[in-house]
Amino acid sequence: MAVAAEGSDAIIVDAEQVKGSSPQPDLVLSYTGTQGRDHDIYVFRPAQAASDTQYPAVVMYHGGGWKRGTPDQFYRHARVWNDLGLVVLLPVYGLEDTHGATPKQSVEDAFLAWQAIGEQAQALGINPDAIGAGGGSAGGHLAAALATLEPPASVTGHRPPAALVLFNPVIDNSPGGYGADRIGADWERFSPFHNIGQEHPPVLFMLGDSDELIPVDTAEAYCDRVRAQGSDCVLKVYPDAVHGWFNREGFIETLQESTRFLVDAFSLKPVSFLQGGTIDAFLLIQDGDGDYVPLAHDTAYVAPEDHKPMGPLLRYEGPIVEGQAFGMRAYFDERARFDLFAKTGRTLALRGARNNYLEMAEWGRDPLFVGQSLGFATPAIVTPEGAHVAADVKERSVTTSVSDTAARFTLGLRGWNVAGVELDATHTVMVETGADFIIHRLAVDGALPGDLVAGLVRHEAAEMRAGDVGSVNYLLTYGAQTDKQEGLGMAIVYAASAGKEPYNDDLSHLAVLAPEGEAASVEYWATADWALDPDFAADIDAFEMKVRDLARRANERWSHEQ
């Protein structure tokens, strides 16, 4: 997962390998918490740790709303940080569901675990002056409590953390924050935000701008208070991220950020992360010499007024996102539909694919005939006149971006004419590192003049099925529906909030994302399975099992479970 760089003290971390790993602790300690109950502390030590060296350490508390959760939330982080020379300790603490503990008892256990670690620091080879704390959500609250709250009477000689690394932490427990109904009238004594004092340690505060529990304004105010005490507070806000995202799609990005923070806080070995090579997003535009060059990332490109379908201006006729399993392109013209690039392997290939991508190549090909259908998860608005894709627009623009964790293109649609009603829309199409699906995020301003749908081409050789998992619906097709009669499965996974069953028109199967009359901001996922893919589902039942698993993952993410 991590190796020393040749000719340097730097450590190189393969974040993808870390994400898929299952490390185990080196040692298990115990301490006595509230209710006289013994709890474990899982210890991860640097490999070949020298017996005569005192190492810095960090104590990480798992999340779960003081109700549930386990320390393995941070097992993968721990092994990376070990490689940098850091001891990592992960305490169990009293939880409501497991131990009948109250939030106040969770806090007291966090202090008691911290005290036990301090008492055993020398035996563990830990520098007692260089112990940080951190955690996620409610676990972030416990870490922040160590730096702000008055220790409980059961704790003696408390030494606050040397640094805090916080993943969407609960820090405001007022009636307008989180948990006041379970804490009681003395919530203020329990709330880190309301107890920031002098000598506060430096903080890394990571938060999504779509977090439903911790507003960005609260995080900014917390950091302002920390800075007013003369300490540093680094606030990292991640776009479109919800509560708990750091466990899932934000794992790599927040692992990198937290690791760099700890390197600086404790003067650890320098670190470098391998860049992901399994995702891409690009738009290739013809230059004055007739060559195709990629649009610079985060730079808007506006379609010329004279741009027509099938012209030479754009290779592939529009932007592409490519993941390990397949790619998706948007026709950047009046066709305004989405198409599929099916792949035989897991390496990036589409930037260098030959022009005739309808024919079989080593990497795969474009197997889908879209025509006037909705192709592969194309959005449209359905009125009595039919399904309206974004064909008639005043301005069509696109930007692309690629990070270690996600590649995306975003379409801007200004003045989208739907049956005489003009709308503005933004549509982001994104693939995450290692994902087997593509995320669509579509926002339409103004009241919808018809149902907002996403569609799949309707093919006589393919069977359609629909179902649900929790509050998530799915629509799939499966059969010999390529232009060469190969097996192909395609699916859309979407929230059930629209309250309408899928339906068909002559060309497409339609999943209803939002009903007529409302403004829309929706997310849906698309996936595909091709006969020449090594993991191809052998029949429709096997493909539906894959789709149901994807719907389960969507249900978990969209329900904002930790």
Side-chain angles (χ1 to χ4, degrees), residues 413-464:
L413 305 168
R414 185 175 64 83
W416 176 10
N417 182 6
V418 179
V421 177
E422 282 197 0
L423 304 167
D424 292 335
T426 303
H427 189 173
T428 296
V429 181
M430 175 174 71
V431 62
E432 298 171 340
T433 301
D436 55 355
F437 59 95
I438 287 176
I439 297 171
H440 292 254
R441 291 176 178 150
L442 176 60
V444 182
D445 292 336
L448 296 171
D451 289 341
L452 177 64
V453 303
L456 299 173
V457 59
R458 187 177 179 184
H459 196 288
E460 61 183 9
E463 181 181 346
M464 185 274 285

Side-chain angles (χ1 to χ4, degrees), residues 238-255:
Y238 296 84
D240 303 321
V242 299
H243 196 72
W245 98 108
F246 68 91
N247 296 312
R248 303 179 301 268
E249 67 273 17
F251 174 80
I252 291 177
E253 198 167 6
T254 54
L255 171 67

Side-chain angles (χ1 to χ4, degrees), residues 222-243:
Y222 177 89
C223 279
D224 286 344
R225 293 189 180 191
V226 171
R227 295 176 190 127
Q229 298 299 328
S231 191
D232 189 23
C233 188
V234 178
L235 176 60
K236 295 291 184 180
V237 179
Y238 296 84
D240 303 321
V242 299
H243 196 72

